[in-house]
Amino acid sequence: MDTTKLQQNQKKRRWFFPLISTLVLSTLIVTTVLSISSPSFRFARRRSTKAVKTRPSFVESKLQISPTSTDPVPRLAYLISGSNGDGESLKRTLKALYHPRNQYVVHLDLEASPEERLELARFVRDEPLFAEVGNVRMIVRANLVTYRGPTMVSNTLHAAAILLRGGEERDWFINLSASDYPLVTQDDLLHALSAVPRHLNFIEHTSDIGWKEWHRAKPVIIDPGLYSLEKSDVFWVTEKRSVPTAYRLFTGSAWMMLSRPFIEYCVWGWDNLPRVVLMYYANFLSSPEGYFHTVICNVDEFRNATVNHDLHFISWDNPPKQHPHFLTVEDYQRMVDSNAPFARKFGHNEPVLDKIDSELLRRNGTGFVPGGWFDKEDNSSVSNSTYLKINTTELRPGPGAERLQSLITGLLSAEKLHGSQCV
């Protein structure tokens, strides 16, 4: 019995010393941690050691704006969009705008019939010139676009992303519809833009939103195109909202020519402003007339790179209605006198288009507009790619270039430019 107790006492002693040692060590560690984390210790340590200065790293601390190209002749990227019944007008506008130096994305929205979209796809695929150059693409998975809703903005961003993915640098992005038409040749346009700084954005804008604050900014609308396969007009929510305070609202024309650096910023959204503003404009009536304008004028790197003009001749009512007048032969001289490179809005097969083709574009039949990229100037009605010149920088500007240069010179004059940027 005594032997058993002795063995038990020996076992207790064997565990006692390790236990005491562990407790002492744990107490020492806890005491040390508490003393280090105490304010008095931190203060003493700051006084006794020299602070090491480190510069914090922020992803959005400075926007890295892409450099613009140095090519003597610029390159353009076009979105030409349409809806039900616009297929033939879109084809005509595309050919009138075509130049092998540019890139083109065409889109017929989901309101157009499958047959009409397939016909446009066949046209893009089977045109020999398009096939050889490879600079015309169609958005096959069509979007449903409501002009007065945000789906038009999302469609524009979709096309811009496609054009950026192409890899080749484009200096400006231009959005047009099938009811737009050029008033100058592409040689005229490229020649006039050769002397324009590539970072500039031609976007009509103002912060004086006036009646639009009550009728467009404060109401909340829902665009069925965000969730439905059937097109219908926007509908209204009964509640109102206040005007944003984190950024300033701007409004203007839905048609614009935007620089590649700014388009990259809108697509990538490095500091998240483009996405925040896009979410706000998702419930804004006629958001195409405000989204890009608000983004560009609220970013330091871009607000001083705007030219307050949309490069269009448009005939409006006074006061303006939702849509402009359809242009006719009676408007022809005013179009020419405006010096603008584009005009809208034209009806299908409007006779004034034939007058523009013959007198301003020198375009015959259903062919392309002649220019420096043709072997012969009288081949405007020929689609055969054998007439294509490899050197696409050879331009043959005509009277349209002089008119356009006059417009741009006036817009870029120091007094007019700096007095109209994001004010």
Side-chain angles (χ1 to χ4, degrees), residues 136-250:
V136 179
R137 284 169 281 186
M138 178 179 175
I139 298 179
V140 179
R141 299 185 64 178
N143 304 303
L144 190 61
V145 178
T146 307
Y147 176 79
R148 299 207 300 168
T151 42
M152 182 175 173
V153 174
S154 65
N155 187 61
T156 302
L157 291 171
H158 182 192
I162 291 173
L163 290 163
L164 286 175
R165 190 182 64 182
E168 296 185 26
E169 292 187 353
R170 303 295 152 191
D171 296 290
W172 282 287
F173 171 83
I174 302 172
N175 68 321
L176 300 173
S177 76
S179 59
D180 288 77
Y181 211 69
L183 302 177
V184 299
T185 70
Q186 288 302 287
D187 278 23
D188 292 335
L189 182 57
L190 294 174
H191 175 78
L193 292 177
S194 296
V196 176
R198 309 287 168 86
H199 71 285
L200 293 179
N201 300 268
F202 290 79
I203 177 170
E204 182 186 278
H205 61 281
T206 179
S207 62
D208 183 14
I209 62 176
W211 59 270
K212 293 182 180 180
E213 178 177 340
W214 180 255
H215 292 280
R216 293 188 180 179
K218 290 187 176 182
V220 177
I221 61 100
I222 304 295
D223 183 354
L226 294 172
Y227 59 85
S228 175
L229 291 177
E230 300 294 331
K231 179 178 284 191
S232 60
D233 198 8
V234 300
F235 61 88
W236 305 79
V237 178
T238 55
E239 291 80 7
K240 303 285 185 180
R241 60 180 176 181
S242 59
V243 175
T245 58
Y247 45 86
R248 190 179 181 189
L249 293 183
F250 285 77

Side-chain angles (χ1 to χ4, degrees), residues 83-104:
S83 189
N84 183 39
D86 289 335
E88 292 304 315
S89 295
L90 195 153
K91 294 177 188 178
R92 180 171 186 165
T93 299
L94 173 60
K95 280 200 166 185
L97 289 167
Y98 185 79
H99 192 284
R101 189 166 181 80
N102 300 333
Q103 290 284 331
Y104 302 85

Side-chain angles (χ1 to χ4, degrees), residues 266-333:
C266 289
V267 171
W268 294 110
W270 301 294
D271 67 351
N272 209 37
L273 178 67
R275 296 183 183 88
V276 170
V277 176
L278 184 62
M279 293 178 71
Y280 171 77
Y281 274 95
N283 303 112
F284 192 102
L285 187 66
S286 297
S287 52
E289 298 175 6
Y291 171 70
F292 292 101
H293 318 69
T294 296
V295 172
I296 200 168
C297 285
N298 281 277
V299 181
D300 291 338
E301 287 79 2
F302 294 111
R303 64 162 52 100
N304 292 324
T306 60
V307 181
N308 204 344
H309 200 283
D310 63 2
L311 300 179
H312 271 71
F313 173 84
I314 305 176
S315 180
W316 294 96
D317 287 308
N318 189 17
K321 296 181 181 179
Q322 179 67 42
H323 298 288
H325 289 299
F326 280 97
L327 300 175
T328 66
V329 174
E330 295 179 356
D331 301 296
Y332 175 78
Q333 195 56 49

Side-chain angles (χ1 to χ4, degrees), residues 30-50:
V30 172
T31 303
T32 303
V33 171
L34 291 175
S35 64
I36 290 175
S37 62
S38 66
S40 59
F41 180 85
R42 291 200 302 269
F43 178 74
R45 186 175 65 172
R46 284 197 298 268
R47 294 184 59 186
S48 60
T49 61
K50 187 176 181 180

